[in-house]
Amino acid sequence: MTLVHSKALDETVKVDRIIDHIQGKKGGPTVVFFGGVHGNETAGVFALNDVFKEIRSKKIPVNGEVYAIAGNLGALERKQRFQDEDLNRIWFQDRIERILNAQEIKHREEGELAQLFRLLHSILDTGTPPFYFMDLHTTSSDTSPFMVLNDSLLNRKFASNYPLPIILGIEEYLKGALLSYINELGYVSLGFESGQHDDDRAVMNCIEFIRYSLTLTQSVNVSEEKRQRLKDALSRSSTAPHRFYEIYHQHDIAPQSSFKMSPGFINFQVVPKGRTLALVDGVQLKTTKKRQIFMPLYQEQGNEGFYFIRPIPEVWLWLSKKLRRFRVDHILVKLPGVEWGDDGENTLVVDQRVARFFAKSFLHLLGYRARRFDKSHLIAKNRESASKSKEYENTVWFKK
């Protein structure tokens, strides 16, 4: 058992890797919640503990299976983001294979990953589709609750049912995340950021998110009136507009570099030109134009100082859906400077010396996430090819 303390609630609970697991009626979905993947983010652990106790004490009928899983047990007990390395930055296929096959654990987070990996695949082997995976987090700055997800049409369609801001594109900057690994397996997966680490409202926001998610996935049957009340409660927790945003810039903190965020910034804040964002190695880092800031870093551990985001126009979302469904990427590979990558029709290699029009934003439209391979080439990975959309076709939210 691991002792987890909440500074916000001034409470301590004992948890195992599986905080709780409720096996309900057959025929329902398999829903998995993660809490505490970062050890200083305890709101999800306490919220899951609360909701699962409520389900059991009130004997609320459950369809399918629902799991509450603790992420980084060692870091949770030590009240820190991670012990040796960020557990939410190491979910790479080659690294996973090395950890599992070589039977060599180089540090404590690799041991945590090995246990989570085996549990995750045990759930996939024994559970009944459709599968849903939701990762509960908090931020170091004050924030209105929001959701983050890899931009597949499946994820986007499911997330659209939440009355919250939705951030797309983080997987292009934040490498090796647990949810990115799960999304590449083809399942619905999303992250929920409920508030500031030590704010008791973050726990309540998590509770409301879990309750509403259980009704949306049809794990718990409620009247339409109650579902709407749960949705309204979640909506009231957020002060930011309920729309889609995309990340277009990340400030990386270089190794051995000193970084100190200027005080007072909050998520979704519009920052005017010329404002000092942070001190980097003692030098003021200022905005060169008006920006909208996202996830400013106010903790010692972490390699991402902040992001810039912008709203996505509705027409852009509509166009991207049409282009992906018509598989326009299969036409583009006939153009000079564009070819398939080594893994077949899942990766595009773009020579920007020839195909100058291929900016990252255009590749996003087609459902690809891109990274620069060298000065002139982009490597773009298809977000859509793995999606197991057929497993979700009979759900109420998918048919809308």
Side-chain angles (χ1 to χ4, degrees):
M1 299 288 282
T2 297
L3 289 174
V4 182
H5 181 75
S6 167
K7 185 177 178 181
L9 302 177
D10 193 24
E11 293 178 13
T12 301
V13 295
K14 289 182 179 181
V15 299
D16 287 316
R17 175 73 67 195
I18 299 179
I19 300 169
D20 206 342
H21 169 217
I22 296 176
Q23 176 76 62
K25 299 176 184 177
K26 290 184 178 180
T30 303
V31 181
V32 181
F33 295 96
F34 297 97
V37 170
H38 290 137
N40 61 332
E41 301 176 20
T42 60
V45 173
F46 279 81
L48 288 167
N49 194 54
D50 186 277
V51 173
F52 276 67
K53 280 185 176 179
E54 178 184 47
I55 292 172
R56 291 188 179 279
S57 65
K58 294 183 179 180
K59 298 181 179 179
I60 298 172
V62 170
N63 304 312
E65 293 182 83
V66 186
Y67 288 85
I69 296 175
N72 195 333
L73 291 174
L76 280 165
E77 189 152 45
R78 289 166 179 78
K79 308 179 185 65
Q80 58 194 41
R81 183 177 173 88
F82 57 85
Q83 301 170 89
D84 302 307
E85 187 177 6
D86 194 329
L87 177 60
N88 210 31
R89 302 291 186 273
I90 61 175
W91 288 82
F92 299 102
Q93 188 61 46
D94 55 349
R95 188 162 182 178
I96 292 169
E97 290 175 3
R98 191 265 296 165
I99 292 169
L100 297 176
N101 296 333
Q103 298 180 345
E104 176 189 2
I105 304 298
K106 290 188 176 180
H107 58 62
R108 288 168 289 188
E109 266 70 35
E110 290 192 346
E112 301 275 358
L113 181 146
Q115 291 181 29
L116 284 168
F117 178 90
R118 292 186 177 99
L119 175 56
L120 167 62
H121 282 273
S122 173
I123 292 170
L124 291 173
D125 289 340
T126 61
T128 302
F131 292 93
Y132 300 88
F133 297 90
M134 305 183 202
D135 195 5
L136 308 175
H137 285 268
T138 51
T139 63
S140 62
S141 64
D142 190 20
T143 187
S144 175
F146 61 92
M147 297 167 62
V148 291
L149 50 135
N150 289 19
D151 184 20
S152 67
L153 293 181
L154 180 63
N155 264 352
R156 196 194 290 181
K157 188 175 181 66
F158 178 70
S160 296
N161 293 278
Y162 289 85
L164 296 167
I166 300 169
I167 313 298
L168 303 179
I170 197 166
E171 76 275 15
E172 225 171 47
Y173 300 93
L174 192 156
K175 306 294 195 304
L178 168 62
L179 288 182
S180 290
Y181 172 77
I182 295 172
N183 195 234
E184 289 182 1
L185 297 177
Y187 304 106
V188 166
S189 57
L190 54 88
F192 174 62
E193 303 273 358
S194 65
Q196 198 273 339
H197 297 327
D198 300 323
D199 189 342
D200 58 359
R201 292 175 298 176
V203 180
M204 192 64 237
N205 293 340
C206 257
I207 289 172
E208 289 170 347
F209 175 85
I210 296 164
R211 287 172 175 164
Y212 178 65
S213 297
L214 290 174
T215 67
L216 181 60
T217 59
Q218 298 174 278
S219 301
V220 174
N221 295 328
V222 297
S223 66
E224 189 56 42
E225 181 183 359
K226 183 171 182 181
R227 181 182 288 109
Q228 189 59 50
R229 288 203 304 270
L230 292 170
K231 187 174 184 178
D232 290 343
L234 188 58
S235 178
R236 287 193 295 271
S237 73
S238 177
T239 57
H242 306 158
R243 62 179 305 171
F244 284 90
Y245 297 81
E246 69 168 339
I247 293 173
Y248 66 93
H249 173 76
Q250 172 185 281
H251 178 80
D252 291 310
I253 302 174
Q256 312 306 318
S257 176
S258 67
F259 176 89
K260 183 170 182 165
M261 196 79 203
S262 297
F265 289 111
I266 61 174
N267 273 338
F268 302 100
Q269 179 180 347
V270 176
V271 182
K273 177 182 177 180
R275 180 84 173 270
T276 299
L277 295 174
L279 286 178
V280 180
D281 297 328
V283 178
Q284 290 185 350
L285 178 63
K286 297 186 177 184
T287 51
T288 57
K289 59 173 69 174
K290 185 169 73 173
R291 305 287 191 183
Q292 191 165 11
I293 200 163
F294 180 63
M295 293 183 72
L297 183 69
Y298 288 108
Q299 60 190 19
E300 291 184 6
Q301 290 182 313
N303 298 317
E304 302 88 28
F306 56 84
Y307 298 88
F308 291 145
I309 60 172
R310 57 192 168 210
I312 305 175
E314 288 289 334
V315 66
W316 192 260
L317 293 168
W318 175 85
L319 180 59
S320 70
K321 182 166 66 173
K322 297 299 182 184
L323 291 174
R324 295 182 198 191
R325 287 182 173 170
F326 285 110
R327 302 299 303 272
V328 173
D329 52 342
H330 283 63
I331 300 173
L332 296 178
V333 292
K334 300 182 184 301
L335 299 175
V338 186
E339 59 184 26
W340 293 118
D342 292 338
D343 60 347
E345 299 178 358
N346 290 319
T347 303
L348 287 175
V349 180
V350 181
D351 186 341
Q352 292 190 301
R353 294 170 300 182
V354 179
R356 296 176 182 272
F357 59 89
F358 263 85
K360 279 188 177 183
S361 57
F362 186 73
L363 291 166
H364 293 167
L365 269 177
L366 303 179
Y368 285 79
R369 71 173 187 269
R371 62 179 176 83
R372 188 159 295 282
F373 178 68
D374 57 33
K375 289 184 178 180
S376 57
H377 291 81
L378 289 176
I379 301 290
K381 179 81 172 178
N382 192 327
R383 294 181 177 109
E384 300 295 340
S385 57
S387 289
K388 292 179 166 59
S389 298
K390 288 187 178 180
E391 293 187 3
Y392 302 86
E393 286 179 346
N394 293 324
T395 62
V396 173
W397 61 265
F398 192 91
K399 292 176 180 178
K400 287 183 179 179

